Amino acid sequence: MKDLLQIAAVLAVLAALHRPLGAYMARLLTSRRDTTVERLIYRAVRVAPRAGQPWRVYLRDVLTFSAVSIVALTLLQSIQGWLPLGRGAGPVHLDQAINTAVSFTTNTNWQSYSGETAVTQLTQMLGLAVQNFVSAAVGIAVVAAFIRGLAARRTGRSASGGAPPLGNFWVDLTRISLRLLLPIAAVGAVLLILGGAIQNFHGPQTITTLDGSQQTIPGGLVASQESIKVLGTNGGGYFNANSAHPFENPAEWTNLLQVALILLIPSALPRTFGIMVGDRRQGWSVLGAMAVLFLASLAATVWAETALTGDAKLAGASLEGRELRFGTVASAFFATATTLTSTGAVDSFHSSYSGLGGGVLMFNMLLGEIAPGGVGSGLYGMLVIAILSVFICGLMIGRTPEYLGKKIGPPEIRLVAGYVLVVPACVLLGTGASLLVPGVREAILNPGPHGLSEVLYAFTSASNNNGSAFAGLGADTPYLNLALAAAMALGRFVPIAFVLALAGRLAGQTPAPPTSGTLPTHRPLFAGVMVGCALIVTGLTYLPALALGPLAEGLS
Amino acid sequence: MNSSALLAASGAALQKLDPRTMIKTPVMLIVELGCAATLVCALLRPSVFAFGLAAWLFLTVVFANFAEALAEGRGRAQADALRASRSSLRAQRVGPDGGIEEVPAAELHVGDTVLVRAGQVIPGDGDVVEGAATVDESAITGESAPVIRESGGDRTAVTGGTTVLSNEIRIAITSQPGSTFMDRLIELVEGANRKKTPNETALDIFLAVLTVVFALAVVALAPMAWFSHAPQSLLVLIALLVCLIPTTIGALLSAIGIAGMDRLVKRNVLAMSGRAVEAAGDVSTLLLDKTGTITIGNREATDIIPLGGGSPRDAAYAAQLSSLADETPEGRSIVRLAETGLGLAPVPEDAYAQARFVPFSAATRMSAIRLPDRTVVKGAASEIVAWARAAGAEVPPELDAIVSRISDKGGTALVIAEATPLAGADPAAELAPEGCAHGRIVGVIRLTDILKPGMVERFAQLRRMGIKTVMITGDNARTAKAIAREAGVDDFLAEAKPEDKLALIRREQEAGAMVAMTGDGTNDAPALAQADVGLAMNTGTQAAKEAANMVDLDSDPTKIIEIVEVGKQLLITRGALTTFSIANDLAKYFAIIPAMFMAAFPGLGLLNIMGLASPESAITSAVIFNALVIVALIPLALRGVSYTPSTSSRLLSRNLLIYGLGGLIAPFIGIKLIDLVVSLIPGLA
């Protein structure tokens, strides 16, 4: 009962913040005013803030920025030992450095390294923390551009000239980082410090415990990193144990705070969407679809983890791999939130979940992390689902499918097709091919279906930019580091390219005015169609793979 | 549909097995390739299961081709009939010197003039440049009543292949041989050169994506199954792939398109492209001419109001007199009203033996009859008032009120006045009021527009479908407004000139609307060309027909509403079968996944909720269902799913329920039933 009240409390807080935060973001993304600091930044990097970019330019800048980030972060890890706060740490070996750089730049935060030992405090501060902010900002910027494309109204069918621009990437990036992420992250950090998370510059301190053994206690700027880790749906823990570590997540209430921060921006973005397209009801139906998927998934996970079998029945609860401070249900809540967004932070070990429970977590990611999804990426993922739903069902009302008055014809569906294909290709081919690699089979800890799940989970998590892992897979091998880095990069940037191209395409269309003959996309029925469409498309794509992993394990 | 058509389609279905033809439907090509691979497997390691699988995959492809062949066959018979009617035509070409030479119709060129006499077949499309004739157009319209074609005006167009019944006409040829109306008609009904419509292309892309996704799933499954110590044979993987890829809609997609065009041809509408038919489904604004579409062509006199102290009989008599020679339908309705409605005796012939009639003209806007003792004029209020004043009449004060009341109610007011001709007045100055005295205004005739029956319901229906209707009329705004209100159209364009129509279409399109309109005159051509769906009447001019993207052979302007419905039905059929096809996959998984892995992981037996007999029978049943469902849906694909106009929400819920939910459930039942039979076959049980 207490567990349910906790969940209800978090959802109530999110509901209360939905409107004001959504409206704030809409203002932020449409305002024509810059702050003084921003003006200085634009002048320094020579950006004309009012110059709108067509989709190609926007995409070029996203890709350039991300490529530079990857190179810089790889470099930083390679020379970290010689830099201040190095404390004698060596360079991260190249394949792991590349993996980590791609991982943080793509908002994935898959960690094949161990936070305590592998990276220095400077790398944490200048590298990982910065990417925690900007990779989140990139996601929100892309969805902002996409919404602008959907909302754009061009006057006149025959009007010459290109489509309306999608905004300016540099302005979006700067504003989102400075005026959205930074203030909320600061508040979150203070709250976490109040809860007991550490925030210091200490190196590892070795102490003698009461029973006389030696213990090394790490230090670091943990609370601030932690705050943006969850707020930006990043998920890369300061320590290896991630949010199960008491320095990262000290108390029961900070655990709930982290869940709230994970869901905060993604769940408010549909409001922003509704406002920016000039029809708030559209935001409600998107949010509704997200909520249905979230609650159904949460219920399934809680059910799977509390329906006790075997040893857990004897113990009275499934406690393997969980923090006793949080318990089974709160852990399931965290696990649902982290896999239905692109966060991947964990306060419990997903590989310790029951076969079916682990399967639900994997399914959450396979849905494309759309309920509510990663910051920005969740909403554009859900909007692509909306377009797909419109396409499949729209014909059934006897009209060319259209979403928000924009027709979904061959060029549009071609781009949606590209978006939809990338991640399944990465997940299925990555898993299938990797099982044929001898080194991977040796890296798998467990035999049978659970072993298959470890690899399937790794490629699912990487391709969907989640970052959580099914422990047991020794992922720090050159092959896995590079293969997963490739999955992360493809799973992030190819969909972004298709989304921006689609935005450009839609921006050039004059929207048809809604009539009673138009497919209403703001009603519960359509939210239901979106849910069904997401479930069926994902289910059909992955059922055979899931059957051999989680289903074979869970039904045995 | 008879057995010979089925036989012909079966033959064509086998011919289409050529992979070069199959490439047009990639989904079915994959099935064909899978069938070949299965056959090789079966030959290498013979088993009932393997040969059965190969046979059913083969049938799946044949069924798909059969659906297309059947749809094409229906048009082909019609095309053959048309071709026969056009055989070895000869033309009498008028040479530059006026001499006549006989040439084959195939040698006629644009600009040639030909002479066609009664009983001859018109050799090519053209415009009548001289003469008038009755023409039998049943060859293209199926309508046996002859129509009049004459030079000048809007009835000049004649179509090659039709027959002149009376008189003789000279025709200027307007189309090259091979691209005449009849040639296009044959091409259309045959489905030759059928281009894919935008929605069809989009659907093709979507089906390709699904196919690739399922191919990925199956390809990746091989190493996963191997890793899980449950390796799968190629046969089983092919069966799984074929069951998952959207074969149902892939097989029926082109049949649906061809059948959609066919439904239009059946309604005697020729669409120049499938794109236009699809656009018809998307129409959001419909421009309708008032006359002939919303109202029956002619107005009718419904009331005669006396003025200036005269009795109703006097007014009626004046109206009757003034309309004696008026052969227009309005004129005749006035006489009819006077005689049957108001009980006046027909005017005896000797009473107007010496009468002179002055017909209505657009310049004078009045008509008149001059008898020795009186002149009666009838016409638009302003003109008659001016005339009567000049003839010394006083204008009754209530006239204005009466006239505007009639206009407000959607009627047209005709005012009647009379005067006594002065002796010696110049009889040639026909209407001149100066030659008259004692002028007085006698009364007002109310002409009422009669709505076509059923139009009010039609417009209500269109509104529910989300289509805005705009009435186009030459009437003044007041009258137009009243009729618009009575008919229930959403908007009207009064005192419309052709360029106003064009401007209205542009305006609507700029606001994002898709516009449909009908037209027949040459001055409609620009608007017909600008509209997304332009429907020209077959009686119209060649220019109108060229500009439009559809021609109605029956020349019934209300048919545009039916065309919209056909367009919608076409799209709905595609959407419904796509949804059905995808929803089917779930059940197939529940059949095949446990069959594949139950041996290695007995727990997965839980997924065998259909309780299928054995792995082989389960897979075979799924493949058989997959093939049979194509056959089962052919009638639906050809007929189109039933469409009753209603709001989009209601349509969506209804179709989701039938084709979405139905698509989820039906295969569970179907596969189970097939399995009951299949499991009796030795080697599969």
Side-chain angles (χ1 to χ4, degrees):
Chain A
M1 193 61 208
K2 181 186 138 209
D3 295 320
L4 293 183
L5 284 177
Q6 287 182 342
I7 292 172
V10 170
L11 298 182
V13 168
L14 291 173
L17 291 173
H18 178 75
R19 283 163 192 253
L21 182 60
Y24 174 74
M25 289 191 285
R27 267 204 310 282
L28 186 67
L29 295 171
T30 49
S31 157
R32 300 182 65 83
R33 299 211 345 234
D34 304 311
T35 62
T36 316
V37 179
E38 286 164 3
R39 273 198 293 275
L40 290 174
I41 293 175
Y42 300 146
R43 207 167 302 155
V45 297
R46 296 196 191 156
V47 163
R50 290 294 86 80
Q53 297 175 322
W55 75 267
R56 283 175 206 279
V57 180
Y58 204 99
L59 174 63
R60 183 198 68 197
D61 287 356
V62 169
L63 294 181
T64 311
F65 177 73
S66 301
V68 170
S69 295
I70 291 172
V71 173
L73 194 50
T74 309
L75 205 64
L76 181 63
Q77 294 175 78
S78 307
I79 57 168
Q80 61 176 1
W82 295 286
L83 298 174
L85 295 171
R87 298 203 175 94
V92 180
H93 55 269
L94 188 62
D95 55 287
Q96 191 174 49
I98 291 174
N99 180 287
T100 306
V102 172
S103 170
F104 276 75
T105 311
T106 56
N107 199 246
T108 310
N109 306 42
W110 170 270
Q111 296 166 293
S112 77
Y113 65 93
S114 165
E116 287 90 338
T117 53
V119 292
T120 66
Q121 285 189 8
L122 192 80
T123 302
Q124 289 270 13
M125 280 158 48
L126 283 188
L128 307 186
V130 169
Q131 282 308 320
N132 276 349
F133 276 95
V134 294
S135 71
V138 166
I140 301 174
V142 169
V143 83
F146 188 53
I147 296 172
R148 289 182 194 123
L150 273 170
R153 4 197 99 243
R154 204 166 108 171
T155 44
R157 212 187 256 195
S158 53
S160 53
L166 300 178
N168 185 304
F169 171 67
W170 305 107
V171 171
D172 288 337
L173 180 71
T174 313
R175 281 189 187 176
I176 294 163
S177 301
L178 295 185
R179 284 199 252 167
L180 178 67
L181 298 174
L182 208 54
I184 305 180
V187 174
V190 169
L191 289 174
L192 285 170
I193 292 170
L194 289 177
I198 62 168
Q199 181 82 348
N200 59 44
F201 275 108
H202 299 318
Q205 295 167 305
T206 305
I207 57 157
T208 308
T209 60
L210 287 178
D211 62 5
S213 56
Q214 298 281 301
Q215 190 183 356
T216 306
I217 296 180
L221 298 170
V222 176
S224 54
Q225 184 77 300
E226 193 66 11
S227 180
I228 187 64
K229 172 188 99 178
V230 282
L231 178 70
T233 61
N234 290 291
Y238 204 97
F239 304 121
N240 201 29
N242 210 305
S243 286
H245 197 294
F247 285 1
E248 285 197 15
N249 190 5
E252 209 174 354
W253 71 266
T254 57
N255 191 46
L256 297 175
L257 173 68
Q258 295 203 349
V259 176
L261 285 172
I262 286 174
L263 299 173
L264 181 63
I265 293 177
S267 68
L269 274 171
R271 180 73 176 178
T272 311
F273 161 70
I275 294 172
M276 285 174 73
V277 300
D279 182 358
R280 283 162 209 211
R281 300 171 309 172
Q282 303 290 350
W284 287 122
S285 70
V286 169
L287 183 70
M290 289 174 168
V292 168
L293 285 171
F294 184 88
L295 293 175
S297 169
L298 179 61
T301 310
V302 169
W303 169 81
E305 296 314 298
T306 50
L308 301 174
T309 52
D311 296 342
K313 196 165 198 171
L314 294 176
S318 293
L319 291 173
E320 184 205 301
R322 277 120 174 136
E323 268 288 281
L324 286 177
R325 293 175 294 147
F326 308 140
T328 311
V329 175
S331 297
F333 186 34
F334 196 109
T336 305
T338 200
T339 49
L340 272 173
T341 61
S342 75
T343 312
V346 290
D347 76 346
S348 56
F349 278 142
H350 294 175
S351 71
S352 298
Y353 278 55
S354 64
L356 295 180
V360 174
L361 299 183
M362 238 185 279
F363 194 82
N364 286 345
M365 293 185 280
L366 291 171
L367 278 172
E369 292 164 359
I370 49 173
V375 285
S377 60
L379 181 57
Y380 65 66
M382 192 50 125
L383 291 176
V384 169
I385 290 289
I387 291 176
L388 204 57
S389 308
V390 155
F391 184 75
I392 297 175
C393 299
L395 285 175
M396 285 201 294
I397 60 158
R399 281 176 62 130
T400 296
E402 54 188 42
Y403 188 57
L404 305 179
K406 308 263 175 144
K407 289 209 169 7
I408 311 300
E412 290 79 17
I413 206 69
R414 212 167 271 140
L415 296 169
V416 170
Y419 183 98
V420 169
L421 276 178
V422 184
V423 171
C426 291
V427 172
L428 292 169
L429 295 182
T431 307
S434 297
L435 289 172
L436 299 175
V437 176
V440 174
R441 289 205 299 281
E442 281 151 26
I444 296 172
L445 182 69
N446 295 288
H450 198 85
L452 180 75
S453 293
E454 288 172 12
V455 181
L456 181 61
Y457 195 104
F459 278 92
T460 300
S461 173
S463 309
N464 285 289
N465 300 134
N466 184 274
S468 65
F470 239 32
L473 182 70
D476 184 17
T477 70
Y479 169 79
L480 281 175
N481 270 332
L482 294 177
L484 292 171
M488 289 187 279
L490 291 173
R492 173 77 165 179
F493 297 114
V494 180
I496 283 182
F498 281 115
V499 160
L500 288 177
L502 188 58
R505 178 82 212 168
L506 295 173
Q509 280 192 33
T510 309
T515 67
S516 67
T518 326
L519 178 72
T521 52
H522 59 268
R523 302 245 175 92
L525 177 64
F526 186 73
V529 170
M530 279 200 271
V531 170
C533 189
L535 288 177
I536 285 187
V537 170
T538 311
L540 294 181
T541 309
Y542 297 109
L543 197 68
L546 291 173
L548 287 175
L551 285 180
E553 185 186 352
L555 295 178
S556 61
Chain B
M1 198 165 299
N2 52 33
S3 54
S4 70
L6 293 177
L7 204 64
S10 311
L14 293 177
Q15 277 171 18
K16 285 171 186 275
L17 286 173
D18 186 339
R20 283 167 299 183
T21 316
M22 294 299 297
I23 195 94
K24 281 191 286 183
T25 44
V27 176
M28 297 319 293
L29 181 64
I30 288 181
V31 181
E32 191 173 37
L33 296 177
C35 172
T38 311
L39 193 61
V40 173
C41 290
L43 291 172
L44 292 178
R45 299 183 62 187
S47 70
V48 177
F49 175 61
F51 279 112
L53 218 50
W56 278 102
L57 293 187
F58 178 74
L59 285 176
T60 310
V61 185
V62 172
F63 291 160
N65 291 346
F66 179 72
E68 192 182 65
L70 207 53
E72 286 170 348
R74 304 210 296 186
R76 190 158 299 137
Q78 213 166 350
D80 289 344
L82 286 171
R83 232 184 239 120
S85 75
R86 196 190 51 158
S87 57
S88 63
L89 268 182
R90 312 239 355 134
Q92 290 177 295
R93 186 161 63 191
V94 182
D97 54 349
I100 296 199
E101 53 171 338
E102 189 162 294
V103 295
E107 285 175 19
L108 289 176
H109 294 287
V110 175
D112 285 353
T113 306
V114 295
L115 178 72
V116 188
R117 296 203 172 87
Q120 290 180 335
V121 175
I122 297 172
D125 298 354
D127 284 317
V128 180
V129 287
E130 197 184 314
T134 51
V135 178
D136 173 9
E137 293 194 335
S138 60
I140 51 168
T141 62
E143 173 65 52
S144 57
V147 292
I148 293 172
R149 292 287 177 259
E150 59 196 359
S151 61
D154 283 347
R155 289 161 176 264
T156 59
V158 288
T159 311
T162 58
T163 312
V164 173
L165 294 179
S166 69
N167 305 3
E168 65 173 50
I169 44 178
R170 280 168 196 256
I171 298 164
I173 296 296
T174 53
S175 61
Q176 293 288 358
S179 62
T180 62
F181 191 69
M182 192 68 105
D183 291 313
R184 275 190 291 172
L185 179 57
I186 291 170
E187 228 171 70
L188 273 169
V189 295
E190 256 188 339
N193 302 329
R194 201 177 74 87
K195 287 206 186 66
K196 281 187 177 165
T197 60
N199 276 313
E200 224 175 332
T201 310
L203 205 49
D204 267 339
I205 296 167
F206 176 69
L207 298 184
V209 174
L210 283 181
T211 308
V212 173
V213 164
F214 290 129
L216 286 173
V218 172
V219 167
L221 189 59
M224 289 189 210
W226 169 76
F227 175 84
S228 307
H229 308 291
Q232 296 299 316
S233 69
L234 185 61
L235 277 183
V236 172
L237 290 176
I238 289 174
L240 177 63
L241 179 62
V242 169
C243 284
L244 293 180
I245 59 177
T247 48
T248 315
I249 180 67
L252 297 173
L253 194 54
S254 71
I256 294 171
I258 298 169
M261 294 291 276
D262 197 44
R263 276 198 293 282
L264 272 189
V265 172
K266 282 220 175 67
R267 285 175 168 77
N268 265 346
V269 174
L270 292 186
M272 298 309 157
S273 70
R275 187 186 279 263
V277 185
E278 262 185 10
D282 287 342
V283 160
S284 51
T285 303
L286 194 51
L287 305 193
L288 298 163
D289 280 323
K290 184 198 79 174
T291 308
T293 310
I294 298 173
T295 61
I296 56 175
N298 314 308
R299 288 175 288 199
E300 208 165 298
T302 49
D303 201 5
I304 298 171
I305 304 150
L307 277 175
S311 74
R313 275 190 86 81
D314 290 346
Y317 183 65
Q320 192 184 11
L321 268 183
S322 72
S323 305
L324 276 178
D326 188 348
E327 280 302 313
T328 64
E330 284 91 353
R332 267 179 268 146
S333 81
I334 294 170
V335 176
R336 200 161 53 239
L337 176 70
E339 290 174 6
T340 57
L342 302 170
L344 265 65
V347 182
E349 216 163 293
D350 55 334
Y352 56 93
Q354 298 174 353
R356 279 177 42 85
F357 295 103
V358 183
F360 180 88
S361 85
T364 57
R365 298 182 70 199
M366 61 170 81
S367 62
I369 177 171
R370 284 186 74 146
L371 297 167
D373 59 335
R374 66 206 286 195
T375 296
V376 185
V377 295
K378 174 185 78 180
S382 52
E383 268 68 23
I384 299 296
V385 166
W387 184 88
R389 277 219 177 95
E394 281 197 19
V395 178
E398 67 270 33
L399 178 68
D400 266 355
I402 292 173
V403 169
S404 40
R405 201 174 62 231
I406 291 175
S407 295
D408 284 347
K409 290 198 175 145
T412 306
L414 289 182
V415 180
I416 322 161
E418 59 176 32
T420 312
L422 294 174
D426 176 13
E430 296 184 320
L431 284 172
E434 293 77 22
C436 302
H438 313 300
R440 64 187 192 94
I441 290 176
V442 188
V444 183
I445 304 171
R446 181 208 298 271
L447 289 178
T448 310
D449 270 304
I450 310 291
L451 291 186
K452 281 197 170 176
M455 290 315 282
V456 176
E457 294 77 36
R458 272 279 171 91
F459 291 132
Q461 204 175 63
L462 285 170
R463 189 164 313 111
R464 278 198 300 280
M465 286 158 67
I467 295 172
K468 175 176 145 189
T469 43
V470 183
M471 182 181 82
I472 312 285
T473 170
D475 292 345
N476 64 46
R478 265 173 141 165
T479 310
K481 189 175 176 186
I483 298 172
R485 197 182 312 124
E486 193 186 345
V489 296
D490 299 311
D491 204 353
F492 62 87
L493 183 66
E495 287 165 5
K497 294 183 288 294
E499 56 270 28
D500 296 340
K501 233 189 234 188
L502 188 61
L504 176 68
I505 293 176
R506 290 228 170 94
R507 212 159 50 236
E508 288 284 329
Q509 287 176 336
E510 270 167 28
M514 295 279 279
V515 184
M517 71 164 282
T518 58
D520 53 4
T522 298
N523 51 21
D524 281 334
L528 280 170
Q530 176 73 29
D532 299 286
V533 178
L535 176 68
M537 302 294 101
N538 191 43
T539 52
T541 59
Q542 206 67 40
K545 288 204 249 179
E546 302 256 310
N549 44 21
M550 291 190 201
V551 176
D552 179 22
L553 301 177
D554 299 337
S555 304
D556 169 12
T558 55
K559 207 178 265 177
I560 187 100
I561 299 173
E562 276 176 59
I563 293 173
V564 168
E565 292 182 3
V566 169
K568 284 192 181 295
Q569 195 189 24
L570 176 67
L571 296 180
I572 293 175
T573 306
R574 273 197 212 123
L577 291 185
T578 305
T579 308
F580 187 84
S581 188
I582 297 171
N584 270 202
D585 279 1
L586 190 70
K588 294 175 193 164
Y589 265 137
F590 275 91
I592 297 180
I593 295 285
M596 291 169 100
F597 300 122
M598 232 157 65
F601 304 104
L604 289 178
L606 273 180
L607 296 182
N608 184 14
I609 53 175
M610 286 175 273
L612 304 180
S614 72
E616 286 79 14
S617 79
I619 293 170
T620 307
S621 304
V623 170
I624 294 178
F625 175 83
N626 197 46
L628 291 183
V629 79
I630 296 174
V631 181
L633 290 174
I634 288 177
L636 186 69
L638 296 186
R639 197 181 62 229
V641 305
S642 71
Y643 169 69
T644 34
S646 67
T647 62
S648 53
S649 304
R650 205 166 302 154
L651 272 177
L652 181 62
S653 347
R654 177 180 170 275
N655 289 332
L656 267 182
L657 199 67
I658 299 177
Y659 299 100
L661 197 61
L664 282 177
I665 296 168
F668 280 100
I669 301 167
I671 293 175
K672 176 67 189 170
L673 290 178
I674 294 170
D675 182 73
L676 289 177
V677 178
V678 166
S679 60
L680 300 176
I681 300 171
L684 290 179

